[in-house]
């Protein structure tokens, strides 16, 4: 081994790379010209004064123009404690351990989405594992759900299906899909890798946790009507498009999705997802108003679940009403259009839109002593008395103004005092018979009183849940029809009699019999709402 004597300087040599790689100008002149200057360069921050500089310096000397047009400059990789990784510190992570545990695609995705390229980022195997749990499993479970039910029903994308879906869920998710294509394309055009990847994860979360969850019954129902076919067609389009969007980021996962979803049913399709054209947004499918309305519904549903949690009432228990007060009157109309989604998501019988929040909550205003005591001195106790002595309607009006970031004025001891939003603490309490949650000017309350009918329906849903768990434990297939047997006391017997058809439909039970379990049935004795019940399930044969 010996040193090459022609080396002038290592950075000069690296800066000469664009010409040296093609032996320019002695040959490959046209090839060089077609690839110079480069579209972009990507290296770590320590190359700023080294390679990045020498490339531009030599290019400017030789050609009077830059060497590259865009630069993605990476920050330092830190360990899980925030220290720079180094061999001397002994905190370097073996990349093969991460790849062998979580896969190369998960490692890529974490590096793309953890922080923008120029920032330092912490790294550990556990952080990559979070990518698997939060994103990859969500995507894969959504894909598995589609494949499972498509195989059961024999649905393929080659089926002759005409018309555009009128279902708001389909129209919404397709609008979100094509907005996603726009966002990802714009971010990649701007060399913003993190800004391109993160919206894909957000879309997959919406696809799984809103679209699929709200559409489950459309896939479950036995009849193959236009609505069910539209659900299949919509979810298929979303998954195939996501695979194509993911291809530059997660090449292996994207290829697996594409091969099964596309190539398995269409041999004329491109052989690989990496041979496909990148998706192009169809602006005709982007309904901005529907997207906004659905976002409002999702926000209201989230607050409604918060109100249920505050009351300690499980989602399986139906309630009489959800009551909503929005910030703007126009939002009321949005909720009316999509009321069925709110009703179904919150498991209530009726959605009530409130004109005044005081119908379900009382507001309390408390002047903050640490701010107003010093500011007004001896007048402070009188300010407190004036605030606490207001009637309910006045308190509500002032509370809403304070929550909107506005100042309020009160008159006390002959003086007009202006109170700033941060100087008054606003609290509310739900009236008897309600549980409520408020956030950013939105109020959602649920009724907490349960009629006998509601209690029975809640017990029926709990019985369905237990039978579904038994089906899974007995290793039945999703499409298997069963016979269900039961033994119980008078209270649950009344529930099974009143909701027998519902229980059979939800559990694919061809019969619901009050009888001893036959030989070979899967049996469990359970306690539901303090009442004992013995359930047995047996797969139907033939």
């Amino acid at each position: 081994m010996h040193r090459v004597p022609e080396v002038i300087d290592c950075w000069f040599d690296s800066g000469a790379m664009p010409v040296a790689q093609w032996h320019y100008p002695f040959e490959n002149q046209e090839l060089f010209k077609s690839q110079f200057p480069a579209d972009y360069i990507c290296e770590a921050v320590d190359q700023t004064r080294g390679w990045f500089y020498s490339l531009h310096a030599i290019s400017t000397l030789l050609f009077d123009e830059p060497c590259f047009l865009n630069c993605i400059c990476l920050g330092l990789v830190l360990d899980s404690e925030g220290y720079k990784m180094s061999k001397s510190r002994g905190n370097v992570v073996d990349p093969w351990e991460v790849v062998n545990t979580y896969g190369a695609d998960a490692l890529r995705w974490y590096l793309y989405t953890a922080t923008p390229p120029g920032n330092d980022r912490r790294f550990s195997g556990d952080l990559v594992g979070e990518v698997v749990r939060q994103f990859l499993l969500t995507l894969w479970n959504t894909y598995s759900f589609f494949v499972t039910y498509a195989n059961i029903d024999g649905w393929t994308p080659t089926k002759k299906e005409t018309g555009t879906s009128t279902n708001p869920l389909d129209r919404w998710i397709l609008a979100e899909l094509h907005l996603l294509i726009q966002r990802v394309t714009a971010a990649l055009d701007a060399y913003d890798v993190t800004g391109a990847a993160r919206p894909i994860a957000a879309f997959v979360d919406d696809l799984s946790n809103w679209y699929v969850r709200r559409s489950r019954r459309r896939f479950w129902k036995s009849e193959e009507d236009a609505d069910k076919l539209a659900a299949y067609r919509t979810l298929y389009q979303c998954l195939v498009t996501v695979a194509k969007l993911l291809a530059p980021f997660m090449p292996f996962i994207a290829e697996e999705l594409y091969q099964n979803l596309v190539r398995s049913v269409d041999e004329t399709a491109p052989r690989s997802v990496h041979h496909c054209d990148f998706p192009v947004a169809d602006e005709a499918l982007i309904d901005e108003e529907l997207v906004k309305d659905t976002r409002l519904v999702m926000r209201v549903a989230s607050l409604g679940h918060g109100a249920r949690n505050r009351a300690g009432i499980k989602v399986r228990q139906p309630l009489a009403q959800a009551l909503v007060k929005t910030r703007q009157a126009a939002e009321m109309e949005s909720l009316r259009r999509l009321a069925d989604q709110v009703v179904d998501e919150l498991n209530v019988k009726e959605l009530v839109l409130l004109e005044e929040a005081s119908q379900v909550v009382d507001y309390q205003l408390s002047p903050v002593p640490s701010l107003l005591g010093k500011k007004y001195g001896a007048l402070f106790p009188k300010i407190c008395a004036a605030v606490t002595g207001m009637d309910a309607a006045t308190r509500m009006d002032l509370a809403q103004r304070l929550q909107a970031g506005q100042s309020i004025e009160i008159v006390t001891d002959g003086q007009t005092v202006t109170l700033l939003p941060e100087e008054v603490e606003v609290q509310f309490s739900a009236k008897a018979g309600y549980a409520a949650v408020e956030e950013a000017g939105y109020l959602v309350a649920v009724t907490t009183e349960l009629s006998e009918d509601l209690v029975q329906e809640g017990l029926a849903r709990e019985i369905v849940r237990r039978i579904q768990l038994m089906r899974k434990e007995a290793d039945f297939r999703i499409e298997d029809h069963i016979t269900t047997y039961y033994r119980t006391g008078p209270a649950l017997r009344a529930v099974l009699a009143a909701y027998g058809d519902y229980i059979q439909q939800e559990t694919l039970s061809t019969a619901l019999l009050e009888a001893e379990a036959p030989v070979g049935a899967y049996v469990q004795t359970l306690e539901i709402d303090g009442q004992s019940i013995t359930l047995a399930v047996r797969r139907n044969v033939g």
Side-chain angles (χ1 to χ4, degrees), residues 9 41 69 94 156 167 188 198 201 207 247 306 317 323 330 332 341 357 423 429 438 451 459 462 464 475:
D9 173 83
I41 191 170
L69 305 180
D94 183 350
T156 66
N167 190 298
L188 288 178
R198 285 179 176 175
L207 183 67
Q317 173 59 60
L323 307 98
M332 295 289 201
Q341 293 187 33
E423 294 174 336
S429 58
E438 188 176 37
S451 65
L459 291 173
E462 181 62 23
V464 166
D475 201 26

Side-chain angles (χ1 to χ4, degrees), residues 350-367:
E350 181 186 15
L351 174 65
V352 178
L353 302 177
L354 300 173
E355 294 295 330
E356 298 293 343
S358 60
Q359 294 174 244
V360 294
V361 296
D362 289 318
Y363 285 95
Q364 294 83 41
L365 305 181
S366 302

Side-chain angles (χ1 to χ4, degrees), residues 164-327:
T164 302
S165 176
T166 59
N167 190 298
L169 280 168
D170 295 340
R171 291 171 45 232
W172 163 71
I173 199 63
L174 289 176
E176 292 279 18
L177 178 69
H178 288 271
L179 283 171
L180 174 69
I181 295 171
Q182 287 184 341
R183 295 186 187 110
V184 173
T185 302
L188 288 178
D189 286 345
Y191 296 90
D192 180 5
V193 179
T194 305
R198 285 179 176 175
I200 300 175
F203 176 82
V204 169
D205 185 68
D206 287 340
L207 183 67
S208 172
N209 293 315
W210 192 260
Y211 178 78
V212 170
R213 199 158 52 79
R214 295 267 46 83
S215 298
R216 281 184 182 273
R217 292 185 181 277
R218 303 168 67 196
F219 293 95
W220 287 345
K221 60 186 176 183
S222 56
E223 65 273 15
E224 191 178 85
D225 58 9
D227 185 58
K228 183 174 186 176
L229 295 176
Y232 273 122
R233 188 168 61 248
T234 301
L235 183 52
Y236 177 81
Q237 183 178 343
C238 289
L239 288 169
V240 171
T241 304
V242 165
K244 293 177 180 178
L245 292 173
L246 276 178
F249 306 94
M250 307 182 86
F252 299 125
I253 293 294
E255 186 69 13
E256 180 68 20
L257 296 177
Y258 178 82
Q259 289 297 325
N260 192 36
L261 292 173
V262 180
R263 282 285 292 175
S264 66
V265 294
D266 183 6
E267 294 182 355
T268 66
R271 293 184 61 185
S272 168
V273 68
H274 305 292
H275 296 170
C276 296
D277 292 335
F278 201 71
V280 176
D282 183 349
E283 294 188 3
L285 295 177
I286 299 176
D287 186 336
E288 302 262 7
E289 183 178 10
L290 179 58
V291 168
K292 183 179 178 181
D293 290 350
T294 305
R295 289 288 164 192
L296 175 62
V297 168
M298 294 166 74
R299 181 170 200 165
V300 166
S302 177
L303 294 176
H305 284 304
R308 273 181 164 275
N309 291 338
R310 184 163 289 182
I313 301 175
K314 296 178 180 179
V315 178
R316 286 187 298 278
Q317 173 59 60
L319 299 176
Q321 294 179 331
L323 307 98
V324 180
K325 175 71 172 66
T326 61
R327 291 190 301 195

Side-chain angles (χ1 to χ4, degrees), residues 307-527:
R308 273 181 164 275
N309 291 338
R310 184 163 289 182
I313 301 175
K314 296 178 180 179
V315 178
R316 286 187 298 278
Q317 173 59 60
L319 299 176
Q321 294 179 331
L323 307 98
V324 180
K325 175 71 172 66
T326 61
R327 291 190 301 195
Q328 302 171 7
E331 293 176 321
M332 295 289 201
E333 190 56 39
S334 298
L335 290 178
R336 286 191 183 94
R337 287 194 293 268
L338 299 177
D340 59 323
Q341 293 187 33
V342 180
V343 166
D344 191 42
E345 174 67 16
L346 293 181
N347 191 17
V348 296
K349 299 301 180 182
E350 181 186 15
L351 174 65
V352 178
L353 302 177
L354 300 173
E355 294 295 330
E356 298 293 343
S358 60
Q359 294 174 244
V360 294
V361 296
D362 289 318
Y363 285 95
Q364 294 83 41
L365 305 181
S366 302
V368 179
S370 60
L371 297 177
L372 293 176
K374 295 180 181 179
K375 187 174 181 179
Y376 290 103
L379 190 60
F380 176 67
K382 296 181 180 180
I383 293 174
C384 292
V387 169
T388 56
M390 294 174 180
D391 58 58
T394 303
R395 284 200 308 272
M396 184 194 74
D397 178 60
L398 296 182
Q400 291 177 339
R401 288 166 55 188
L402 289 166
Q403 289 175 327
Q406 301 173 13
S407 301
I408 62 173
E409 291 184 347
I410 63 170
V411 177
T412 181
D413 199 29
Q415 299 183 46
T416 299
V417 177
T418 300
L419 303 181
L420 304 177
E422 62 270 20
E423 294 174 336
V424 183
E425 183 180 4
V426 179
Q427 296 177 322
F428 77 92
S429 58
K431 293 183 176 180
Y434 299 99
V437 170
E438 188 176 37
E439 179 185 85
Y442 295 94
L443 175 79
V444 181
V446 294
T447 52
T448 57
E449 295 178 359
L450 300 176
S451 65
E452 183 61 30
D453 287 343
L454 290 174
V455 170
Q456 283 202 339
E457 186 177 346
L459 291 173
R461 287 174 178 256
E462 181 62 23
I463 291 170
V464 166
R465 186 181 76 87
R466 299 298 182 94
I467 295 174
Q468 297 287 33
L469 288 174
M470 291 176 65
R471 285 180 59 105
K472 185 175 181 180
E473 292 166 2
D475 201 26
F476 293 167
R477 295 189 302 270
I478 290 175
E479 68 271 25
D480 282 342
H481 285 75
I482 64 172
T483 300
T484 300
Y485 305 84
Y486 68 90
R487 287 291 191 187
T488 189
L492 289 182
R493 187 182 297 116
V495 173
L496 288 155
Y499 290 92
D501 290 344
Y502 163 76
I503 293 170
Q504 287 183 235
Q505 181 181 5
E506 293 293 306
T507 60
L508 291 185
S509 296
T510 56
L512 183 61
L513 306 175
E514 185 174 11
E516 294 294 337
V519 176
Y522 181 73
V523 184
Q524 282 190 358
T525 298
L526 310 163
E527 189 171 284

